[in-house]
Amino acid sequence: MRGLAVSLLGLWLVPLVALAQQPADYNTITSVNVSGGTVEISGSKKPDFNSFTMTDPPRLVIDVSGAVFKDVPEELPVGNGTVTGIRTQAYGTESSSIARILIGYEREVETDIQTSGNKLVVKVLGSGGGAVVAQVTPSEGQGTPAQGATAANTQAGSNAQDAARAAASDREAQEKAVKAAADAARAEREAQEKAAAEATARAKADADAEKKRQEEAQAAAKRQDEERRASEQAAAAEKKRQEEEAQAAAKRAEDERRATAQAAADQKRQQEADAKTAAKTAAEEKRAAAQAAAEERQAAAKTAAEQKRAAAQTASEAKRLKDEERQAAAQARREEQQSAREAAADQKRQRAAEARERREQAVAARESRARPSQGSAAAESRESGGGAVSSRRKTMTQIGFQQQSDSSRVFVRTNEPVRYTVGTSGNQVVLELENTRVVESNNTLPLDTHFFPSAVSRVEAFSGAGQTVRVVIQLKQGVRYETRQEGGLITLDFPRPGR
C-alpha cells in the first residue's frame, strides 16, 4: 500500500517537475536606474511591455511580458522631487511570467516611454526632474534592496538660519514623499501577500482533494502504473523537445553574435567615413575662415581709408566754417560801427516818427498785420516794418529756430510790436529791432543750425548801439526769404535748399 501511494504521488509530481525544468527563454531584468525624473530599465532582450497609470498617489505601472528579475530589490525609496520610489514584483505562471515595475511620483505627471535596444526608458515630460540620482544594481547574496541615494540642493539664503529652515523643509518634504511611497508599496505588498495566502489555501485545499482522490484511486493501481509509464515517456519526449529548443536557442545566439559582429564592423566603417567627412569639412571651414579673414582685412583697410577721407573732409569743412564765422564777425563789427554812426540820426528819426505816429494812429488801428516782405541774399538790400508802435522801449523775450514742412523759420518775440529793419549782405541777413533791449543773457547765445537740412547755419543776437538789438542770420547759400510781423512776433521763413 505504501508503494502504491508513492507511485501515485510520483505521477502527480512528474508534470510539475518537468514544467519546472523547462529552460524558458525569459527577458532577465538586471537593473533599474533612476536619474532625476528618468527611469531606465535594463534587460537581456528587447522588452515587450504594457503600461497604465494609477492615482492617489500618482503611479505608473509597467508590465514586461516574458520577463523575470535577477538580483533586483523589491523596493527602492527615491524622493528626488519627482520620483518618490520604485517597487518591483514578478507574477504569472511559469510559461507566462510578467515582471512588474511600479514607479511612484510626487505629483500627476505626463510620461514618455521609449525602448533603446534592451533598455526601457521612462521620461517625465516638461520637467528635468531633481538633482538626485538613484541606481538599482544586482546585489550579492540574497539580493538585499539597495538604499536610495537622496540629495537636496538648497540654495544659500540670506543667512545661516534661512538655509537651515530651507534644508529642514526640503528634508521634511522628502521624508513625506518616502513615507507615502513606502505606504503605497506596503499596501500593495499586503494585498499581494493576501492574494498569495489565498492561493496557498486554495493550493492546500487542492492538495487535500488530490490526496483524497489518490486514496480513492488505490484500487486502480495498475491503471495508475500505466499512466506513470506514459508520463515517463512524455517526460522523455519533453526532455528531447527541450534539448532541441536549447540547440535552436544556441543557434539563435550564434546568429545574433554574428549579426552583432557584422553591425560592429559596419559601425566602424561608418565611423571611418564620418571621420573623413569631418576632416574634409574642417579643411573647407579653414579655407572659408582664411578667405573671410582676408575679406575682413580688405574691408577694414577700405573703411580706414574712407574714415581718413571723411576726417580730412570734415577738417576742411570745419576750417571753411571757421573762416566764414571770422568773416561774419568782422562784418558784424563793421555793421555795429555803422550802426553807432547812425544812432544819432536814428534818434532824430524816432522823434519825427513819434510825431508821425500820433497822426497815423487812426490808420494804424485798422491794420492788424504788416505786409509780407521778400528779401534776397543775392545782393545787399534793406527793408523796414513795424507800422505804428509806441515810444516805450521794447524787450526781446525770445529768439528761436524751427523746421517747417518745406522751409526753416527764424523767429523773434518782443513784449509788444516793434519797428524793425531787415538787411542782406552776401550770405548774411541782419534783422535790427529799434528801441529794443535784451534782458536775459540766454537770448544772446548763438544757435548752431548747420546740421539741419536748412539754408540757415547760425543765428545770433547782439545788443547794438543806439538802443537797438541786431539779429545776425548766417546762411549756407543765398536764398529768398519772407518776413512777417504779427503783434510781438517777427518771423523770417527761408525755403529749404533745392526747393
Side-chain angles (χ1 to χ4, degrees):
M1 181 64 69
R2 182 178 179 182
L4 179 60
V6 171
S7 300
L8 292 175
L9 182 60
L11 291 174
W12 180 61
L13 293 176
V14 165
L16 298 179
V17 172
L19 183 60
Q21 292 177 349
Q22 293 178 1
D25 187 16
Y26 292 132
N27 181 1
T28 303
I29 297 176
T30 58
S31 67
V32 178
N33 297 331
V34 182
S35 177
T38 301
V39 179
E40 184 177 281
I41 303 166
S42 301
S44 61
K45 57 191 298 185
K46 185 175 181 180
D48 179 14
F49 69 95
N50 293 315
S51 65
F52 60 93
T53 59
M54 304 177 68
T55 58
D56 195 19
R59 289 162 289 170
L60 173 66
V61 181
I62 301 175
D63 286 340
V64 183
S65 301
V68 295
F69 293 103
K70 181 180 179 182
D71 298 331
V72 177
E74 292 183 356
E75 290 187 33
L76 173 65
V78 180
N80 62 7
T82 301
V83 179
T84 60
I86 304 291
R87 179 175 174 81
T88 62
Q89 181 71 35
Y91 67 97
T93 63
E94 290 292 332
S95 60
S96 177
S97 178
I98 296 177
R100 168 170 290 183
I101 300 96
L102 185 145
I103 307 172
Y105 293 100
E106 288 281 357
R107 59 188 181 283
E108 295 289 342
V109 296
E110 183 178 0
T111 58
D112 177 38
I113 308 176
Q114 297 183 356
T115 59
S116 176
N118 295 346
K119 293 183 179 180
L120 190 63
V121 181
V122 182
K123 294 181 178 180
V124 175
L125 298 179
S127 172
V132 177
V133 177
Q135 182 174 2
V136 182
T137 58
S139 59
E140 298 294 334
Q142 300 298 324
T144 302
Q147 296 296 327
T150 305
N153 291 330
T154 304
Q155 294 183 352
S158 60
N159 51 47
Q161 186 177 2
D162 293 341
R165 284 200 296 269
S169 176
D170 187 39
R171 184 170 59 255
E172 182 180 358
Q174 292 182 1
E175 290 174 353
K176 289 182 179 179
V178 172
K179 185 177 181 299
D183 292 341
R186 184 168 52 256
E188 185 176 354
R189 184 173 64 253
E190 290 174 354
Q192 292 181 354
E193 290 174 353
K194 182 179 179 182
E198 293 176 352
T200 302
R202 287 194 299 270
K204 186 176 182 302
D206 293 342
D208 294 341
E210 182 65 22
K211 182 178 180 181
K212 184 178 180 180
R213 286 194 298 271
Q214 289 177 0
E215 291 174 353
E216 292 175 351
Q218 291 178 359
K222 185 177 180 178
R223 180 174 58 82
Q224 293 289 347
D225 188 55
E226 292 176 353
E227 290 179 356
R228 180 181 59 79
R229 287 194 297 270
S231 298
E232 290 175 352
Q233 293 175 358
E238 179 65 22
K239 182 178 180 180
K240 183 179 180 181
R241 185 186 65 80
Q242 291 177 357
E243 291 175 352
E244 292 175 351
E245 289 183 353
Q247 293 175 358
K251 184 179 180 181
R252 287 195 300 271
E254 180 63 22
D255 293 340
E256 290 178 356
R257 185 189 64 76
R258 286 195 295 269
T260 302
Q262 181 65 31
D266 294 341
Q267 184 178 7
K268 183 177 180 181
R269 286 193 296 272
Q270 182 63 36
Q271 290 176 351
E272 291 175 353
D274 292 343
K276 292 179 181 179
T277 303
K280 183 179 179 181
T281 303
E284 292 177 352
E285 290 178 351
K286 185 176 180 181
R287 287 194 296 271
Q291 183 177 358
E295 293 176 353
E296 185 176 356
R297 287 193 297 271
Q298 293 176 358
K302 183 178 179 181
T303 302
E306 292 177 352
Q307 290 177 348
K308 185 176 180 181
R309 288 194 296 270
Q313 184 177 358
T314 302
S316 177
E317 180 67 18
K319 182 178 180 182
R320 184 184 63 81
L321 292 176
K322 188 174 182 180
D323 293 340
E324 291 180 355
E325 290 177 356
R326 284 199 298 269
Q327 294 175 3
Q331 179 66 24
R333 286 194 297 272
R334 288 193 297 270
E335 291 179 354
E336 287 178 359
Q337 293 172 0
Q338 179 66 26
S339 298
R341 288 192 296 269
E342 295 176 353
D346 289 342
Q347 291 179 356
K348 184 177 180 179
R349 286 195 300 271
Q350 184 176 354
R351 288 192 294 272
E354 289 176 356
R356 188 169 58 253
E357 177 185 352
R358 289 190 292 272
R359 294 192 299 270
E360 297 175 352
Q361 186 173 5
V363 177
R366 295 191 297 269
E367 294 181 356
S368 61
R369 57 191 294 176
R371 292 192 306 273
S373 61
Q374 299 292 330
S376 172
E380 269 190 45
S381 64
R382 182 171 293 275
E383 301 171 2
S384 62
V389 297
S390 67
S391 60
R392 294 185 299 272
R393 190 171 184 184
K394 319 303 186 295
T395 301
M396 187 185 77
T397 60
Q398 186 181 9
I399 182 171
F401 173 82
Q402 291 178 339
Q403 282 286 79
Q404 307 293 327
S405 60
D406 58 351
S407 64
S408 302
R409 170 171 292 181
V410 177
F411 64 92
V412 177
R413 292 185 184 276
T414 56
N415 60 339
E416 61 180 282
V418 62
R419 287 186 178 277
Y420 67 91
T421 59
V422 181
T424 59
S425 176
N427 287 342
Q428 276 191 348
V429 177
V430 180
L431 171 66
E432 188 169 278
L433 308 179
E434 299 179 1
N435 195 24
T436 307
R437 61 183 176 179
V438 179
V439 177
E440 296 182 2
S441 59
N442 286 341
N443 289 328
T444 61
L445 297 177
L447 302 177
D448 186 4
T449 62
H450 76 276
F451 45 85
F452 288 102
S454 167
V456 180
S457 64
R458 184 183 177 91
V459 180
E460 188 172 5
F462 303 90
S463 295
Q467 297 183 348
T468 61
V469 174
R470 302 177 71 253
V471 179
V472 179
I473 304 171
Q474 184 68 40
L475 303 178
K476 299 176 183 178
Q477 61 186 45
V479 295
R480 298 184 62 83
Y481 58 91
E482 183 177 86
T483 307
R484 289 181 180 275
Q485 182 181 30
E486 293 182 4
L489 176 65
I490 301 174
T491 59
L492 290 87
D493 293 332
F494 300 85
R496 291 191 181 181
R499 294 184 177 273

